[in-house]
Amino acid sequence: MPARSPRSSTIGPRLSLQAPRGLERRAEPQLLDGEHREAEHYERTVFDGAELGGITLQECLLEGVSLNDTELRGARFIECSFEDLFAPVFRASRSSWRETALHSTRWGSAELYDSRLDGVHLDGGKLDYVNLRGARLTDVLVSGCIIGELDLSGVTATRVALRDCTVGTLTLDGARLKDVDLRSSSFRGIHGLDGLRGATIDDQQLQLLAPFLAESMGLRVEG
């Protein structure tokens, strides 16, 4: 009989996402900061430069929406779904995301510092720089993404997984990780190696990390 592979003790993200249903289509929606909107469908809509700080969207679907330089500080997204979200500059610091899925996202610079993500799936897309400094991440799955720089400095992350992602630079200074699965993803460079404590990596990643680990410990490796 073939030998069984050891079962991983790392707990994966617990997701129970459902697509919003029974939505009202908004042809030319007008949104205001601080509003609460529910069960609405926005398609190919441009909100570039709008002031929408503190807005709440619940059980909404956004398809092909442009949010370039839109002020979303303190915004709340609850049980929403985003398709083809576009924003060269995405400004959503201190925002809250719960039971929300994002597919084929295209972000240049994403300001998500001090945000909270609970039960979030970021699937596919290209993101140049993602700033999640000081964020709290619980049950978050990032899959199939190309990310230039991912800054997780000071984050508190529990049951988070990066699957089949390509990341240029991963920064983990001061991060607190528990059940964070980095297997199957690749990284060109990692800063803040002490922040890796609590993460799960595979054998190949360990080999790639060896030079960085040696440098951080002041080791000289000579053949």
Side-chain angles (χ1 to χ4, degrees):
M1 294 179 63
R4 292 185 178 180
S5 59
R7 185 175 181 180
S8 174
S9 60
T10 304
I11 302 174
R14 298 167 178 168
L15 299 175
S16 57
L17 303 177
Q18 296 183 1
R21 298 178 181 178
L23 306 180
E24 180 180 354
R25 186 180 294 271
R26 292 292 187 180
E28 297 182 4
Q30 296 290 328
L31 297 181
L32 301 174
D33 57 347
E35 274 193 314
H36 184 119
R37 306 296 284 266
E38 189 171 342
E40 295 183 339
H41 181 189
Y42 306 91
E43 185 176 9
R44 305 297 172 190
T45 308
V46 176
F47 293 112
D48 295 353
E51 294 291 333
L52 301 179
I55 195 170
T56 296
L57 297 182
Q58 184 170 356
E59 298 182 53
C60 291
L61 170 62
L62 283 74
E63 291 185 282
V65 170
S66 180
L67 293 168
N68 184 38
D69 205 28
T70 305
E71 180 56 74
L72 291 165
R73 181 184 178 91
R76 300 172 68 231
F77 304 103
I78 305 168
E79 299 177 3
C80 290
S81 182
F82 295 83
E83 303 277 353
D84 298 318
L85 186 63
F86 176 75
V89 178
F90 187 68
R91 301 168 59 194
S93 61
R94 299 184 178 177
S95 54
S96 176
W97 307 68
R98 193 173 77 217
E99 301 297 332
T100 290
L102 301 96
H103 302 283
S104 301
T105 299
R106 290 171 295 158
W107 283 339
S109 172
E111 300 175 4
L112 289 163
Y113 58 86
D114 295 333
S115 294
R116 179 157 187 163
L117 283 68
D118 296 285
V120 172
H121 186 190
L122 177 59
D123 179 39
K126 187 175 185 299
L127 308 95
D128 294 335
Y129 172 62
V130 182
N131 181 356
L132 280 162
R133 285 174 170 261
R136 183 176 292 272
L137 315 178
T138 306
D139 295 316
V140 174
L141 172 60
V142 182
S143 59
C145 290
I146 300 174
I147 305 174
E149 183 175 353
L150 179 57
D151 192 345
L152 300 179
S153 301
V155 303
T156 300
T158 304
R159 296 186 301 278
V160 174
L162 271 65
R163 293 180 187 164
D164 302 318
C165 293
T166 300
V167 180
T169 302
L170 175 64
T171 302
L172 290 162
D173 295 299
R176 291 173 291 179
L177 312 181
K178 182 179 180 181
D179 290 313
V180 172
D181 195 344
L182 302 179
R183 293 172 294 180
S184 79
S185 291
S186 62
F187 309 91
R188 286 200 301 269
I190 296 182
H191 298 160
L193 290 175
D194 288 345
L196 270 175
R197 185 184 300 273
T200 301
I201 61 175
D202 57 33
D203 294 339
Q204 184 177 5
Q205 289 172 324
L206 180 59
Q207 294 177 15
L208 294 173
L209 279 174
F212 300 104
L213 292 169
E215 181 181 359
S216 69
M217 298 174 64
L219 297 177
R220 180 184 302 163
V221 181
E222 297 180 352

